[in-house]
Amino acid sequence: MIRPTDKYNYDPHEGTRRFLVRGGLVFATVGLVASLAGWTRRVSAVDTVRLPDMGIVVSRLGSLGRQLDAARGEVAVTRLQLDRANAILSNSSKYQIPADLAASIYDIALSEGIDPALGYQLVKIESNFKEDARSSMGALGYTQVQMTTAKFYEPELTEKELLVRETNLRIGFRFLSDLSERFDHDTHLALLAYNRGPTRVSEILAAGGNPANGYSAAVLKGYTPPRTTEPGWR
């Protein structure tokens, strides 16, 4: 029995207070655990790295690749256009001819598989860039094509039509291109055949002779073939 006079005074409410303190501690502990559990779930939800769908990745990479290819294509086209413009202006100045004539020679030579630089030299030697030039042998126009040769390519062609710039250049350059094929892309022989006729050049070669007559040397004077691994222009 504890008396009021004992060292520790007895408090009838002490047990109640202790019970409340213990209950509060338990409640706080439960709350803290619950809070930590929720925080862990939130961190897990935020920190989890989800891999993207590979189909979407491949599609986007393909789209990017196509855009890059298109950009490269545009750059290449722009470069070709710039090269063309520079060549036309340069040759217009070099040969003292109108820019539109320089452009026609450049474009038609390319379309017929002839190096434009060689095309300019051919026209210079053949007609000195005179549209209505005529020879004693009946050759006509810029490239001095004879009617028999022109009609091989266009049977219904008239003399008047052969004097049209685009027609004359196209037939002359096509003839030279065909001769280049015939003589194994030897530019010297192709030019000699253009001047002397392919049959005559072939006969001289078959007999072991040299068909050179100075014509090919005149056309090729100062001409530098383009650097290419493709056949032709050598």
Side-chain angles (χ1 to χ4, degrees), residues 188-214:
H188 282 279
L189 290 179
L191 288 170
L192 289 172
Y194 190 94
N195 176 254
R196 306 189 66 174
T199 301
R200 180 57 181 157
V201 170
S202 294
E203 290 173 348
I204 295 173
L205 290 173
N210 182 358
N213 62 356

Side-chain angles (χ1 to χ4, degrees), residues 35-232:
S35 176
L36 288 173
W39 176 82
T40 302
R41 286 194 297 270
R42 288 194 298 274
V43 170
S44 177
V46 172
D47 291 351
T48 298
V49 177
R50 295 182 179 178
L51 294 176
D53 183 272
M54 291 308 296
I56 295 176
V57 172
V58 172
S59 176
R60 290 179 178 175
L61 287 176
S63 176
L64 179 60
R66 289 190 293 272
Q67 292 176 27
L68 289 174
D69 288 341
R72 292 191 192 100
E74 291 175 0
V75 170
V77 169
T78 301
R79 185 180 296 114
L80 288 174
Q81 291 174 337
L82 182 60
D83 290 344
R84 173 184 180 273
N86 288 336
I88 289 171
L89 290 176
S90 175
N91 284 288
S92 176
S93 176
K94 176 181 178 180
Y95 294 106
Q96 294 297 293
I97 58 176
D100 61 333
L101 174 57
S104 292
I105 294 172
Y106 185 93
D107 293 338
I108 296 173
L110 274 182
S111 70
E112 297 298 335
I114 296 296
D115 178 17
L118 181 59
Y120 287 112
Q121 281 295 106
L122 179 75
V123 176
K124 177 180 181 294
I125 296 301
E126 287 290 345
S127 65
N128 198 28
F129 301 101
K130 295 179 181 178
E131 185 174 20
D132 58 352
R134 293 172 180 266
S135 75
S136 57
M137 301 296 292
L140 302 171
Y142 290 113
T143 58
Q144 290 292 279
V145 179
Q146 293 186 342
M147 284 301 303
T148 52
T149 301
K151 284 183 175 293
F152 173 80
Y153 293 101
E154 296 187 25
E156 304 301 322
L157 193 71
T158 65
E159 182 177 299
K160 182 179 180 180
E161 291 170 334
L162 182 56
L163 287 171
V164 174
R165 175 193 294 176
E166 286 71 19
T167 301
N168 192 277
L169 291 172
R170 178 167 46 79
I171 292 177
F173 291 155
R174 184 170 299 178
F175 182 40
L176 180 59
S177 179
D178 288 346
L179 291 172
S180 180
E181 291 284 343
R182 177 170 175 173
F183 289 94
D184 193 29
H185 302 287
D186 187 312
T187 304
H188 282 279
L189 290 179
L191 288 170
L192 289 172
Y194 190 94
N195 176 254
R196 306 189 66 174
T199 301
R200 180 57 181 157
V201 170
S202 294
E203 290 173 348
I204 295 173
L205 290 173
N210 182 358
N213 62 356
Y215 176 81
S216 62
V219 174
L220 296 175
K221 184 179 181 180
Y223 166 69
T224 303
R227 294 180 180 179
T228 176
T229 57
E230 296 297 322

